[in-house]
């Protein structure tokens, strides 16, 4: 019986870690694309005026589409495997994201094949097309953005863990929605501004943004994350239900209790 329980715990941790790491890496990779939330939903541009003379719309990175999955998986790992579990997958994800950026850097700097350039030299409209240039534009990200993104990710995750368990210490096992949503809202408030400050102010050289611009865009990003976190809260209970069925309610309760005392053990 003990072996079966340990196997189930291990399987659960691997699945949750896989979901967390996969979506964290994908969010970083597709984050180079900026999309219009209003146009996607068929709405008029928001045109929000915050601190600056220009008006802001909900133009977000494509990575924002799946970051909520990272938030949810963080909270579930927190619930069942505690601080140690979240720290393990966080540091592993950071290492793999850095590795992914390194491989992308190599792939954008190797010499393209003449054959590859030739067979892809015309676009859908019959216009000249340089596929190697397009490849580089899509997959090359500035070092400042990479450093900012990884730093913000680490700070956000560690803060999420702290707030999650601080709320749990005050409320006990009740109110999963409060500790999950509360930790996400606090951690992403910091994350939204850290990444912008490092990438577009601290390491931007002569191209640094103004403080007003940083605050404006940070607030727009946070409004989206805040709203998404609230809307996705029911998914936590859905995940909780399936995990409890998989482990059994008694074992599930024991694992959660252990996660909040000793954490996930090797």
């Amino acid at each position: 019986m003990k072996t079966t329980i340990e196997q189930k715990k291990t399987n659960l941790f691997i699945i949750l870690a896989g979901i967390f790491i996969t979506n964290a890496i994908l969010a970083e990779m597709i984050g180079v694309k900026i999309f219009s939330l209003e146009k996607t939903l068929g709405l008029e541009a928001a045109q929000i005026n915050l601190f600056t003379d220009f008006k802001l719309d909900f133009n977000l990175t494509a990575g924002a589409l799946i970051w909520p999955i990272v938030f949810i998986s963080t909270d579930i790992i927190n619930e069942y495997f505690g601080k140690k579990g979240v720290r393990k997958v966080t540091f592993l994800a950071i290492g793999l994201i850095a590795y992914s950026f390194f491989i992308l850097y190599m792939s954008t700097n190797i010499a393209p094949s003449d054959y590859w350039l030739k067979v892809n030299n015309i676009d859908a409209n019959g216009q000249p097309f340089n596929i190697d240039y397009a490849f580089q534009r899509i997959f090359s990200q500035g070092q400042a953005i990479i450093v900012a993104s990884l730093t913000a990710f680490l700070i956000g995750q560690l803060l999420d863990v702290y707030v999650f368990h601080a709320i749990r210490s005050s409320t006990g096992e009740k109110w999963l929605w409060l500790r999950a949503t509360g930790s996400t809202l606090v951690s992403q408030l910091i994350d939204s501004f850290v990444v912008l400050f490092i990438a577009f102010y601290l390491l931007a050289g002569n191209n640094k943004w103004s403080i007003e611009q940083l605050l404006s865009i940070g607030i727009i990003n946070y409004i989206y994350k805040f709203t998404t976190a609230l809307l996705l809260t029911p998914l936590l209970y859905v995940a909780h239900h399936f995990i409890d069925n998989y482990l059994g309610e008694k074992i599930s309760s024991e694992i959660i209790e252990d996660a909040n005392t000793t954490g996930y053990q090797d």
Side-chain angles (χ1 to χ4, degrees):
M1 177 64 71
K2 183 177 180 180
T3 302
T4 301
I5 294 173
E6 290 301 320
Q7 286 177 343
K8 285 187 174 183
K9 286 177 62 178
T10 300
N11 291 340
L12 177 61
F13 187 75
I14 291 173
I15 291 171
L16 292 175
I19 293 172
F20 174 92
I21 293 171
T22 298
N23 283 280
I25 293 175
L26 282 175
E28 295 288 353
M29 298 301 102
I30 66 176
V32 68
K33 178 173 181 176
I34 307 298
F35 76 100
S36 168
L37 181 63
E38 297 99 330
K39 287 184 179 180
T40 301
L41 298 177
L43 303 174
E44 293 293 327
Q47 292 288 282
I48 299 175
N49 191 355
L50 292 173
F51 305 118
T52 57
D53 295 331
F54 59 89
K55 296 184 181 298
L56 292 169
D57 301 325
F58 280 91
N59 295 319
L60 306 164
T61 69
L65 293 172
I66 57 176
W67 271 121
I69 300 176
V70 177
F71 306 156
I72 291 175
S73 56
T74 297
D75 292 328
I76 297 173
I77 293 171
N78 230 338
E79 181 78 354
Y80 287 91
F81 298 101
K83 298 177 182 179
K84 290 184 179 180
V86 175
R87 286 172 181 165
K88 283 184 178 182
V89 295
T90 296
F91 289 122
L92 180 57
I94 289 174
L96 292 174
I97 290 170
Y99 169 77
S100 299
F101 278 129
F102 174 70
I103 296 301
L104 288 176
Y105 172 80
M106 289 181 58
S107 67
T108 55
N109 285 278
I110 54 180
S113 163
D114 291 337
Y115 169 79
W116 182 60
L117 294 174
K118 183 177 181 181
V119 297
N120 294 288
N121 64 354
I122 301 296
D123 66 14
N125 297 316
Q127 299 298 316
F129 180 69
N130 187 331
I131 193 170
D132 188 54
Y133 175 76
F135 184 91
Q136 291 186 38
R137 292 290 293 175
I138 291 173
F139 290 113
S140 293
Q141 298 196 41
Q143 292 182 355
I145 295 178
I146 295 173
V147 171
S149 182
L150 291 178
T151 302
F153 177 65
L154 176 61
I155 293 174
Q157 287 299 113
L158 296 180
L159 184 60
D160 190 286
V161 171
Y162 175 80
V163 175
F164 184 96
H165 287 280
I167 296 175
R168 196 181 194 283
S169 297
S170 301
T171 62
E173 296 182 9
K174 301 182 296 180
W175 300 344
L176 170 62
W177 67 269
L178 179 61
R179 58 182 176 271
T181 304
S183 61
T184 296
L185 296 183
V186 173
S187 64
Q188 291 313 304
L189 175 63
I190 304 301
D191 177 88
S192 296
F193 292 96
V194 168
V195 66
L196 294 175
F197 177 75
I198 295 177
F200 301 106
Y201 188 84
L202 191 63
L203 301 178
N206 295 327
N207 298 316
K208 67 174 58 177
W209 291 358
S210 66
I211 294 297
E212 291 79 8
Q213 189 174 3
L214 286 172
L215 290 174
S216 298
I217 295 177
I219 290 173
I220 290 293
N221 287 338
Y222 184 66
I223 290 173
Y224 169 80
K225 293 176 181 178
F226 179 94
T227 304
T228 304
L230 292 178
L231 292 176
L232 293 181
T233 298
L235 291 182
L236 286 167
Y237 289 91
V238 173
H240 214 294
H241 171 74
F242 281 107
I243 293 173
D244 288 349
N245 284 342
Y246 173 67
L247 296 173
E249 289 191 12
K250 182 176 182 297
I251 296 173
S252 178
S253 297
E254 292 175 354
I255 291 175
I256 292 174
E257 181 63 28
D258 182 61
N260 289 275
T261 53
T262 60
Y264 182 77
Q265 302 295 326
D266 290 324

